[in-house]
Amino acid sequence: MPTLILVRHGRSTANTAGLLAGWTPGVALDERGTQQAAALPGRLAGLPIAEVVTSPLQRCQETVQPLLEARPEVPAHTEERIGEAHYGDWSGRKLSELKDEPLMDVVQAHPSAAAFPGGESMRAMQTRAAEAVREWNARVERDHGGDAVYLMCSHGDIIKSLVADALGLHLDLFQRISVEPCSITAIRYTRLRPFLVRLGDTGDLASLAPREEPPGGDAPVGGGAGAP
């Protein structure tokens, strides 16, 4: 079965503003995110990408644009089911405000029980994304063969939930996974089991350096902004 390359979108204006963007329209890449997207074709130069599938949201579309310009022969598709979590009433709010919401404790420690007010549950988010991947796996294998490689550009929580699915982890453990902006995660699917062969690879170790304000124990909902 195919190998899936998961790319989180580049750093966005919402990431740097500390906002939980969700499906809020008009959230674009910031200057650094644009640079990350421009570097993506070079990072992927050695891979024979058969298809590109992307979330409908602007920040993902902008992330894959340089890659599609470099490889005009590669078919591109938009897939609603790998769009960001529907955060409902939380969309567009500051993360610094949301940390005091009682639901945030559930999102962090027991996400399988979390449902966003006016939005969707985290279980539903993972289910739709995993179903999309399985359907695209079958389609890519049918059209390009079992050794094909294809790419999906999506969002932090979506990618983390897909990694948990591939590893057989309960959704309640998915907050232990970290994927930075424009990081590359690769999952090789087989008939019996998936193999996680890359996780959150940016080629940059800056995010491992000590920070003036050490990160807390909570996972950044939506994925975080990456290295400073």
Side-chain angles (χ1 to χ4, degrees), residues 51-64:
E51 308 263 358
V52 170
V53 185
T54 184
S55 157
L57 296 175
Q58 180 178 340
R59 53 199 183 272
C60 286
Q61 300 279 337
E62 291 178 349
T63 298
V64 299

Side-chain angles (χ1 to χ4, degrees), residues 87-108:
Y87 295 118
D89 297 342
W90 281 22
S91 299
R93 291 182 59 187
K94 285 188 172 295
L95 289 164
S96 58
E97 298 172 357
L98 291 171
K99 69 179 182 181
D100 296 324
E101 294 278 355
L103 178 61
M104 184 60 84
D105 291 337
V106 183
V107 170
Q108 292 292 329

Side-chain angles (χ1 to χ4, degrees), residues 113-213:
F116 297 101
E120 70 179 335
S121 69
M122 302 196 87
R123 297 186 315 279
M125 174 199 75
Q126 183 186 44
T127 297
R128 64 173 164 86
E131 287 178 348
V133 165
R134 281 162 175 76
E135 290 179 18
W136 277 99
N137 282 348
R139 175 173 173 173
V140 170
E141 182 176 19
R142 180 197 67 203
D143 293 344
H144 303 281
D147 294 330
V149 177
Y150 75 108
L151 181 146
M152 281 186 168
C153 184
S154 188
H155 307 265
D157 282 349
I158 296 288
I159 294 173
K160 288 162 56 177
S161 74
L162 289 171
V163 170
D165 173 77
L167 292 176
L169 294 178
H170 195 283
L171 184 61
D172 286 346
L173 301 178
F174 101 123
Q175 296 289 28
R176 302 183 184 192
I177 299 165
S178 176
V179 290
E180 292 198 3
C182 225
S183 63
I184 292 173
T185 294
I187 302 171
R188 180 171 295 125
Y189 288 87
T190 73
R191 185 173 64 87
L192 297 180
R193 64 183 67 86
F195 293 89
L196 179 66
V197 292
R198 291 289 188 281
L199 176 61
D201 186 349
T202 63
D204 180 358
L205 301 182
S207 64
L208 302 180
R211 304 185 187 182
E212 291 184 7
E213 296 183 6

